[in-house]
Amino acid sequence: MRRRSSGSAAEEEGADSDSTADVITSSNEAGGSSNPDESASNTESRNLQTIARPSTTQPSSHELDRRKSTDKKASTARIRRPSNTNWKLTESRNGHLEKNRPADLDIISVPSKEAIAADKMPDSRQNARRSRLRSPWSCSPLTLVTTLLGMLSLASILHSFVTRQLDTKGCRMSYMRPSFAKLTDFDTEHTRFASKYSVYLYREGMVDEDTKVKGVPVLFIPGNAGSYKQVRPIAAEGATYFHDVLRHDQAAIAAGARNLDFFTVDFNEDITAFHGQTLLDQAEYLNEAIAYILSLYHDPRRSERDPDLPDPTSVIILGHSMGGIVARTMLVMPNYQSNSINTIITMSAPHARPPVSFDAEIVRTYKQINDYWRQAYSQKWANNNPLWHVTLISIAGGGLDTVVPSDYTSLESLVPDTHGFTVFTSSVPNVWTGMDHQAILWCDQFRKVVVRSLYDVIDVNRPAQTKPRAERMRVFKKWYLTGMENTAEKTLSEKEPTTLLTLEENSNSIIAQGERLTLRKFGQNHKPRAHLLPIPPQGTPGGKRFTLLTDQKLDKSGDSGKLEVLFCSVFPLHPGQSATLFSMSMDLSGDSLGSTRLACKNAASDVIVLPASTRTTKKPFYLDEEEELVPFSYLQYDLEDILDHQFVAIVDKAVDPTPGWVIAEFNDNVQSHRVRSLSLRRLLAFGMGIKLPPTRPMVTEVKIPSLHSSLLAYNLEMGSQTCGDDAQLFTPLLRQYISEPYESKYFVNVKQASINLHGVSPFMPPALKYKSIQDGLSLQFWTDPTCNSSVKISLKVDVPGSLGKMYMRYRTVFAAFPLLVVALVLRKQFRVYDETGIFMSFSESLDLCLRQSLPLVLSALTCLSVSLAQASAAPPYSSYTGFWGWGGNATETQIDFTKNDLLVGSQDPFFWFMVPLIGLVCVGACVLVNYTALAITHLFSILYSFLSVKPAWLRNEDKRRAMYPAFAPSTPRRRILTTAILLFLVSTVIPYQFAYLVACLVQIATCARALRFAREARSNTNYNFYNYVHSILILMLWILPINLPILVVWVHNLAVHWLTPFSSHHNVLSIMPFILLVETLTSGKMVPRVTSRIRHFTSVFFFCIAIYAAVYGVTYAYMLHYLVNFVAAWLVAIHSSTSTWTLSGISTMFEGESTDIRKRGKTP
């Protein structure tokens, strides 16, 4: 007769009414204790214990079915009636590892008074207690309150993210007439990926429809699941701008400007954000594509370039999202052609760290790329730096980008400011708006800036097709930065005087030293007039700065506008010589005999554009159907920049009275710059107030070093100022900015402003250059100084608005942190089960964890996060040996770029509360997932019961035989064959993530079956088994999100007929323990109790998973699969510890099933 499996859930439906768990439950009621540990010890000390039915021969499953059928009523009665004797089952029934105890030994003791009292308890109380223990839907008040608080916190975060501290969308629509020419000759002879990917050449309809190459090659790389057609807006603007403007500009043509040939890559919408191998494949393909594109310019049949020009040797790269990472990866690939890339512009690309860490390959690839770039730029000599010629510009969309956190676009930890920078679109002149992940490609005002910057850096007279690196950086800073940064370069000192200004010798247009020039209207004298501001001498106390603001555009030399600003020096020149030395001569002396001649430089090239701020403006930009806003012109010079000159000449060139205004002044830096050193806690408690006095400079700047976190948002309120008889020239204008990365936001006609920034962010690697003090947030105010009235400003922390800032920075936490809760719950379940024989439900174990282990673990993790934040703020230690042999210098420091990867990634101890808050939300999430899984399994269980219903006249054994075959338990032979086939497919065709999904589905079916048996038999063994398989399902469900992205990549590859298997996802050992565990559970076999010291290993393993999920889970989420996989292997080992495998036993599994069926049919 075949040996019955140990602890089978199906076998104990009616025969286990006197089992240990029932009696322990009764004794708990008598003793008044609800702790299973305590109840077990009480039971052992005071209850009669007997080894029940010592027998070496096990009844068959069919005999058990018959016994259950005939004794159903008696069995039910025994369940309801408490017994004076506790029955402790043998190892063959409950699976104990108690092999040292003889099977036929009876241990008899006298029952205590409490046990007798328990036996006399009313049936209703015992049944209520038993029902509560067995009900998986039970929820204690503590669990309920914790869940409600967690869900309330999550709802507050999501509500804040959606409704508060939102940036305004200001993009204007772009239009184009696209056409694409596929490069069909770039086939499998050039690359092995030609059957999957392809390259196109873009041409704009009705502008440039010739498919021959003729200009400078530019390659566009789409991002994650991106389309090659996304190049249309930028490429169309490039073609149109050259056709309408540049080709008619002979100076630009002579300087090397030519048409841009935009190439774009069709990746079949590959998913690169989740899969490192796909990223490497794309980089390899693109290096081959660049070699092919450059070869087109050598072929006279494919090229229309001037033969006198050198052939191109490099390609400009535009990368969107993950396309920017692919662009950087190309330079580290073995097939990279040296110097074939020297200019990379990326848009919304997560350079600093991978968006998700579900794939080991993408984490490894990111580390390899970033280490290569850091090491290259750490070289002392340019000859040793393979990236010396490369410029990298990273452009971020800001808070509107909800796909990639804009913090991740930072290059601070990768590239020095001599070779690249990060800028936000809200900082770019004439753009001044944030953008979402897709809008950054089609936004009309932004694409114009990108195209003009590209035309400014190209030079077809050089083989590289671009200007030298230093000039490229200067051009990019001019187009993308505001011009008010500390690193901004002024061109005035590099210029030669171009204008000779002649004035009356006794002119009264010279403004007294320290006075302010204010013009409220132009052309009042009906002739041009120059107003001179004398430049203060060097060494003026406090330092001086010249500022000028006007609503007019400043004229360049030779323009015929209203206003021109010149920096002049006295030039004693004889009459008649001016025409030979100066390109422009401006004689304002009239008929006066005496005159003063000034040699002047035009300042228009250093003008800074600011959004117009008037009573009618509401936003710094204008939309498609709105009237165009003419920006303000602003000049700003430190005294050191203009010391070579004696005067600033502001020339009013209007001859008729016309509207317009200008304000110019020299002000003290002491008056215009303030630093408020207050702590974050004080700002949170009391806010901050600023009062601008009536006599103040036009521009006032307030720096608050403590405000540098991207997790906080603020509300600013600005009081109105009252002007006297004169009308207000302009309304207050506010610029908030941080210097690293370059992020500025403008608020026009400001009364209230929502302040948020992308400063110091969680999980971000430290900068290449260590700074002991953060610059923090700066607020720059332009106010009308002619009003002579004070202005009050208040700044407060927006706590509800700050909650929404957590979403983008911590959303990946929910892939890892909940495993802390689940692992601790399972740890508690196994501990209680090994000690008492009761496998509690998930909800009951969670309630115990909320009372004991979870608060302790979260408290310890909170202390750890504070410690890590303090260590992160500490300066890096000196390294005299260098890093692995390079860069060794006694004065250099070694930077740990992974120091912010742990726990919640916080760099500020102020955010100590993040761990408890995330823990609270994750507890709520675990409870919701638990009840969702319960609902699903109950639904399937009801469906299972419905499909199993047969006519009432059928006997019980006939009912079982007539069961719906889909739910019939499989034989060992079938399970072994299924497992072998699945493992074979994993090793050859399918990734193990697919097998994991199958295992999850099988586990759901097992839970449904186990629930149905437990509800019908209502025995403790069946409820133990159901709670066990349900908890394993919860654990597997939390690992499922880590595996699903790879599965999506695999399905996508099948859809595009790319059948090459993933080399990194066919490790059979990564899935075998899961498959073996799930297949073992389909047999209804309960995990044996472990009463020896080995049981502590189970507890330690789950505890290690919990700690790893919290500390390393966000950065290395893929490791969680392997850790849980190891625990699954451990559980399989425990299951197999009670099985006796022999060759004869294995051979019987493969006998024909017909023999079993015939025998089964003869059962009486």
Side-chain angles (χ1 to χ4, degrees):
M1 184 177 292
R2 189 174 301 171
R3 181 179 178 86
R4 184 177 56 174
S5 61
S6 174
S8 172
E11 295 164 356
E12 303 292 344
E13 290 187 2
D16 198 32
S17 59
D18 300 339
S19 65
T20 307
D22 279 358
V23 184
I24 289 175
T25 304
S26 303
S27 64
N28 285 348
E29 288 293 335
S33 171
S34 62
N35 190 335
D37 299 36
E38 193 176 319
S39 65
S41 60
N42 291 342
T43 304
E44 291 176 2
S45 63
R46 66 195 179 200
N47 286 356
L48 176 66
Q49 298 184 355
T50 306
I51 303 295
R53 294 185 299 273
S55 175
T56 57
T57 303
Q58 302 283 342
S60 69
S61 59
H62 307 294
E63 292 172 353
L64 184 68
D65 292 342
R66 186 179 58 180
R67 182 189 307 167
K68 180 174 182 290
S69 173
T70 56
D71 296 339
K72 187 172 182 181
K73 294 183 180 180
S75 174
T76 307
R78 286 200 300 271
I79 290 175
R80 294 176 180 173
R81 184 180 66 251
S83 172
N84 290 336
T85 304
N86 288 350
W87 296 91
K88 189 160 186 176
L89 302 180
T90 61
E91 64 164 307
S92 63
R93 178 169 292 275
N94 283 333
H96 291 227
L97 296 180
E98 298 175 353
K99 299 184 179 179
N100 295 330
R101 179 179 300 178
D104 56 351
L105 179 63
D106 292 347
I107 302 175
I108 304 175
S109 62
V110 180
S112 63
K113 295 180 180 180
E114 290 84 351
I116 297 173
D119 292 339
K120 298 179 181 179
M121 292 175 104
D123 288 351
S124 59
R125 287 186 60 188
Q126 296 180 57
N127 290 335
R129 169 64 178 165
R130 192 177 302 125
S131 175
R132 191 187 71 80
L133 272 173
R134 289 178 176 174
S135 174
W137 293 94
S138 62
C139 184
S140 68
L142 177 61
T143 305
L144 180 62
V145 171
T146 306
T147 303
L148 291 177
L149 288 176
M151 291 299 97
L152 180 62
S153 302
L154 181 59
S156 301
I157 292 172
L158 295 176
H159 181 266
S160 173
F161 174 73
V162 173
T163 62
R164 300 182 69 91
Q165 290 282 337
L166 302 180
D167 295 338
T168 309
K169 297 181 179 180
C171 279
R172 298 189 289 274
M173 186 56 66
S174 55
Y175 301 93
M176 70 289 300
R177 295 178 292 271
S179 62
F180 296 92
K182 185 176 181 179
L183 305 184
T184 54
D185 292 340
F186 185 53
D187 52 19
T188 51
E189 293 183 2
H190 297 83
T191 173
R192 62 192 178 104
F193 297 103
S195 60
K196 185 181 182 184
Y197 305 143
S198 52
V199 180
Y200 291 84
L201 172 65
Y202 179 90
R203 285 298 182 234
E204 179 70 2
M206 302 176 64
V207 173
D208 184 10
E209 298 180 349
D210 187 3
T211 57
K212 290 187 177 182
V213 295
K214 57 177 72 73
V216 178
V218 181
L219 178 62
F220 172 77
I221 308 175
N224 181 60
S227 169
Y228 69 98
K229 296 181 180 180
Q230 291 175 316
V231 75
R232 293 173 298 179
I234 296 176
E237 177 63 24
T240 304
Y241 182 66
F242 182 83
H243 182 270
D244 295 346
V245 179
L246 283 184
R247 68 172 181 156
H248 307 295
D249 188 343
Q250 295 304 317
I253 296 297
R258 293 294 187 277
N259 189 31
L260 295 175
D261 292 326
F262 277 92
F263 296 87
T264 180
V265 191
D266 182 10
F267 284 138
N268 273 314
E269 300 183 1
D270 249 351
I271 301 173
T272 50
F274 304 143
H275 196 226
Q277 187 58 49
T278 301
L279 189 147
L280 294 173
D281 291 348
Q282 291 185 0
E284 179 185 337
Y285 174 80
L286 288 173
N287 279 328
E288 303 293 347
I290 284 180
Y292 179 78
I293 288 170
L294 292 176
S295 71
L296 296 178
Y297 292 85
H298 304 163
D299 187 354
R301 298 170 300 174
R302 307 292 299 271
S303 174
E304 286 188 354
R305 277 172 61 99
D306 188 342
D308 296 332
L309 296 176
D311 291 330
T313 60
S314 70
V315 175
I316 298 173
I317 302 292
L318 286 182
H320 174 243
S321 187
M322 290 301 293
I325 310 305
V326 175
R328 287 179 50 227
T329 309
M330 294 165 66
L331 280 78
V332 306
M333 297 296 291
N335 67 335
Y336 170 65
Q337 183 177 329
S338 180
N339 297 331
S340 60
I341 299 173
N342 64 16
T343 302
I344 304 174
I345 298 178
T346 66
M347 292 165 278
S348 299
H351 292 288
R353 56 182 289 118
V356 291
S357 59
F358 297 162
D359 178 41
E361 190 68 29
I362 199 165
V363 175
R364 194 179 305 116
T365 302
Y366 254 87
K367 186 179 186 306
Q368 177 188 358
I369 300 166
N370 290 349
D371 286 349
Y372 178 85
W373 281 68
R374 287 165 184 152
Q375 291 184 24
Y377 287 120
S378 68
Q379 302 301 318
K380 184 176 182 180
W381 304 106
N383 291 337
N384 299 329
N385 181 3
L387 304 178
W388 179 255
H389 62 287
V390 177
T391 53
L392 174 61
I393 310 301
S394 176
I395 306 170
L400 290 176
D401 189 346
T402 57
V403 176
V404 172
S406 289
D407 309 279
Y408 290 4
T409 62
S410 173
L411 299 176
E412 284 188 82
S413 64
L414 298 169
V415 180
D417 52 12
T418 55
H419 289 73
F421 57 84
T422 306
V423 64
F424 284 69
T425 56
S426 56
S427 308
V428 179
N430 293 308
V431 177
W432 297 321
T433 179
M435 300 173 194
D436 62 47
H437 200 64
Q438 299 299 329
I440 200 169
L441 289 170
W442 58 258
C443 186
D444 184 56
Q445 60 263 48
F446 178 65
R447 69 169 182 161
K448 286 180 167 61
V449 174
V450 172
V451 166
R452 282 154 180 74
S453 70
L454 288 178
Y455 276 116
D456 258 12
V457 300
I458 63 174
D459 184 359
V460 294
N461 300 310
R462 305 178 77 247
Q465 303 297 291
T466 57
K467 296 176 180 177
R469 178 192 54 80
E471 289 188 41
R472 274 180 277 143
M473 287 299 299
R474 191 177 297 113
V475 169
F476 287 137
K477 287 181 178 179
K478 180 189 77 173
W479 281 104
Y480 294 115
L481 302 187
T482 63
M484 292 176 279
E485 293 80 11
N486 294 330
T487 58
E489 299 178 6
K490 303 295 184 182
T491 62
L492 189 68
S493 59
E494 302 173 0
K495 290 184 175 182
E496 294 295 330
T498 57
T499 302
L500 180 64
L501 181 62
T502 306
L503 302 174
E504 297 179 12
E505 191 166 335
N506 297 323
S507 172
N508 59 358
S509 58
I510 299 179
I511 309 298
Q513 186 80 40
E515 293 293 324
R516 178 188 296 121
L517 170 67
T518 303
L519 295 181
R520 295 181 175 273
K521 188 174 291 187
F522 292 104
Q524 289 182 325
N525 293 338
H526 298 280
K527 64 177 182 178
R529 182 180 179 184
H531 304 270
L532 300 184
L533 270 73
I535 296 176
Q538 189 175 11
T540 305
K544 292 282 188 178
R545 186 172 68 169
F546 172 74
T547 55
L548 178 145
L549 186 66
T550 178
D551 63 345
Q552 303 297 313
K553 181 180 178 181
L554 297 186
D555 284 355
K556 299 178 181 178
S557 295
D559 289 351
S560 57
K562 300 180 185 178
L563 183 65
E564 189 169 347
V565 178
L566 305 170
F567 286 82
C568 305
S569 303
V570 176
F571 190 77
L573 183 69
H574 298 289
Q577 291 182 325
S578 61
T580 60
L581 295 177
F582 298 95
S583 59
M584 284 295 299
S585 179
M586 193 178 298
D587 189 354
L588 304 180
S589 61
D591 298 330
S592 174
L593 297 177
S595 60
T596 300
R597 297 179 180 85
L598 301 176
C600 302
K601 300 178 182 179
N602 190 285
S605 60
D606 288 334
V607 71
I608 299 166
V609 290
L610 297 176
S613 180
T614 64
R615 294 184 182 277
T616 58
T617 54
K618 297 179 180 179
K619 305 180 189 70
F621 48 82
Y622 64 94
L623 299 177
D624 286 316
E625 299 178 356
E626 297 177 353
E627 182 182 355
E628 181 178 351
L629 297 176
V630 179
F632 288 171
S633 299
Y634 177 64
L635 284 176
Q636 174 181 297
Y637 289 99
D638 290 330
L639 195 57
E640 293 78 13
D641 297 329
I642 55 177
L643 278 177
D644 297 338
H645 311 282
Q646 284 85 43
F647 297 97
V648 181
I650 294 137
V651 184
D652 174 6
K653 299 197 293 184
V655 294
D656 294 314
T658 53
W661 53 266
V662 61
I663 299 176
E665 65 181 8
F666 284 91
N667 54 63
D668 295 330
N669 286 331
V670 176
Q671 294 180 347
S672 59
H673 288 73
R674 304 182 184 182
V675 177
R676 297 297 298 269
S677 300
L678 77 165
S679 68
L680 210 52
R681 293 171 180 81
R682 181 175 178 82
L683 180 68
L684 184 64
F686 306 106
M688 184 186 74
I690 307 170
K691 184 176 182 180
L692 304 181
T695 56
R696 62 180 180 274
M698 176 178 62
V699 185
T700 304
E701 185 172 326
V702 180
K703 179 175 290 187
I704 315 167
S706 61
L707 305 190
H708 51 71
S709 174
S710 61
L711 293 174
L712 292 178
Y714 314 91
N715 284 327
L716 181 140
E717 294 185 1
M718 193 168 185
S720 59
Q721 58 178 356
T722 56
C723 286
D725 299 333
D726 296 323
Q728 193 175 17
L729 295 177
F730 64 96
T731 52
L733 171 66
L734 167 63
R735 172 192 173 223
Q736 65 148 92
Y737 73 92
I738 54 176
S739 56
E740 293 180 357
Y742 295 113
E743 182 186 24
S744 296
K745 292 182 184 178
Y746 293 92
F747 302 90
V748 299
N749 193 16
V750 60
K751 297 180 178 63
Q752 294 180 338
S754 297
I755 308 293
N756 56 80
L757 59 145
H758 293 82
V760 178
S761 300
F763 305 111
M764 288 293 292
L768 287 175
K769 291 184 178 179
Y770 172 75
K771 293 192 301 180
S772 59
I773 300 177
Q774 293 286 345
D775 289 338
L777 176 69
S778 294
L779 303 174
Q780 201 169 3
F781 300 92
W782 284 265
T783 55
D784 188 350
T786 63
C787 288
N788 291 323
S789 64
S790 61
V791 179
K792 292 183 178 180
I793 302 168
S794 66
L795 183 71
K796 296 180 180 179
V797 178
D798 182 8
V799 176
S802 299
L803 289 175
K805 302 306 169 188
M806 293 174 53
Y807 172 77
M808 288 300 295
R809 279 85 182 182
Y810 284 115
R811 58 183 179 177
T812 55
V813 165
F814 294 103
F817 218 88
L819 274 173
L820 165 73
V821 181
V822 175
L824 291 178
V825 169
L826 275 159
R827 174 177 173 268
K828 189 69 176 177
Q829 286 177 305
F830 274 94
R831 289 185 64 184
V832 173
Y833 174 66
D834 288 337
E835 293 173 3
T836 68
I838 299 176
F839 204 97
M840 298 183 296
S841 66
F842 186 90
S843 54
E844 187 173 1
S845 179
L846 177 59
D847 177 56
L848 292 178
C849 290
L850 287 175
R851 300 175 189 275
Q852 299 170 6
S853 55
L854 261 176
L856 293 176
V857 171
L858 290 179
S859 299
L861 291 175
T862 301
C863 296
L864 178 61
S865 70
V866 173
S867 175
L868 291 173
Q870 292 173 343
S872 176
Y877 57 88
S878 297
S879 173
Y880 61 91
T881 57
F883 183 70
W884 296 103
W886 58 266
N889 192 313
T891 61
E892 293 181 358
T893 56
Q894 179 178 329
I895 300 176
D896 180 12
F897 292 101
T898 63
K899 66 181 182 180
N900 298 324
D901 288 350
L902 306 182
L903 213 57
V904 293
S906 175
Q907 305 175 40
D908 191 342
F910 175 82
F911 296 102
W912 63 268
F913 56 85
M914 293 304 303
V915 172
L917 179 59
I918 292 174
L920 181 68
V921 174
C922 288
V923 169
C926 287
V927 172
L928 288 185
V929 170
N930 175 47
Y931 284 115
T932 303
L934 282 173
I936 293 174
T937 52
H938 274 69
L939 180 64
F940 280 112
S941 177
I942 293 171
L943 182 62
Y944 177 32
S945 301
F946 174 76
L947 294 174
S948 303
V949 170
K950 294 298 175 182
W953 59 81
L954 286 180
R955 293 167 52 186
N956 268 4
E957 57 267 33
D958 295 331
K959 287 185 184 181
R960 288 185 178 277
R961 212 176 299 130
M963 234 184 247
Y964 192 76
F967 294 91
S970 60
T971 62
R973 174 191 176 187
R974 187 180 303 174
R975 291 201 303 272
I976 290 177
L977 289 177
T978 303
T979 302
I981 293 173
L982 197 55
L983 292 178
F984 174 75
L985 291 176
V986 167
S987 64
T988 55
V989 180
I990 65 175
Y992 70 77
Q993 289 82 0
F994 180 83
Y996 185 84
L997 177 61
V998 173
C1000 289
L1001 296 177
V1002 172
Q1003 186 67 9
I1004 292 176
T1006 302
C1007 287
R1009 279 184 50 224
L1011 177 62
R1012 189 245 180 173
F1013 283 128
R1015 292 172 65 184
E1016 288 187 356
R1018 305 193 64 82
S1019 71
N1020 292 283
T1021 304
N1022 284 332
Y1023 272 106
N1024 282 351
F1025 180 73
Y1026 170 68
N1027 290 334
Y1028 170 51
V1029 295
H1030 175 77
S1031 296
I1032 296 297
L1033 174 63
I1034 297 297
L1035 181 64
M1036 294 178 67
L1037 288 179
W1038 278 111
I1039 299 295
L1040 187 60
I1042 299 174
N1043 291 293
L1044 280 180
I1046 305 299
L1047 188 59
V1048 171
V1049 175
W1050 179 68
V1051 172
H1052 175 268
N1053 280 355
L1054 291 182
V1056 298
H1057 308 293
W1058 182 255
L1059 304 179
T1060 303
F1062 297 156
S1063 60
S1064 56
H1065 300 295
H1066 293 280
N1067 186 353
V1068 174
L1069 295 179
S1070 298
I1071 193 61
M1072 182 186 292
F1074 281 115
I1075 295 177
L1076 293 178
L1077 178 61
V1078 169
E1079 285 294 334
T1080 301
L1081 296 180
T1082 58
S1083 66
K1085 181 179 179 181
M1086 181 61 184
V1087 63
R1089 286 176 58 189
V1090 183
T1091 57
S1092 65
R1093 294 183 179 180
I1094 298 178
R1095 70 180 186 276
H1096 298 301
F1097 283 100
T1098 308
S1099 181
V1100 169
F1101 291 155
F1102 279 113
F1103 186 76
C1104 289
I1105 290 178
I1107 298 303
Y1108 187 94
V1111 178
Y1112 295 97
V1114 175
T1115 305
Y1116 307 102
Y1118 66 91
M1119 280 297 298
L1120 294 172
H1121 172 92
Y1122 302 122
L1123 293 175
V1124 177
N1125 186 55
F1126 176 80
V1127 170
W1130 173 253
L1131 294 179
V1132 170
I1134 295 178
H1135 273 282
S1136 62
S1137 63
T1138 57
S1139 301
T1140 55
W1141 294 92
T1142 63
L1143 291 177
S1144 59
I1146 294 176
S1147 63
T1148 57
M1149 295 180 185
F1150 294 92
E1151 293 178 357
E1153 293 183 12
S1154 58
T1155 305
D1156 293 338
I1157 295 173
R1158 286 195 302 269
K1159 291 180 180 180
R1160 234 176 276 160
K1162 296 178 181 179
T1163 303

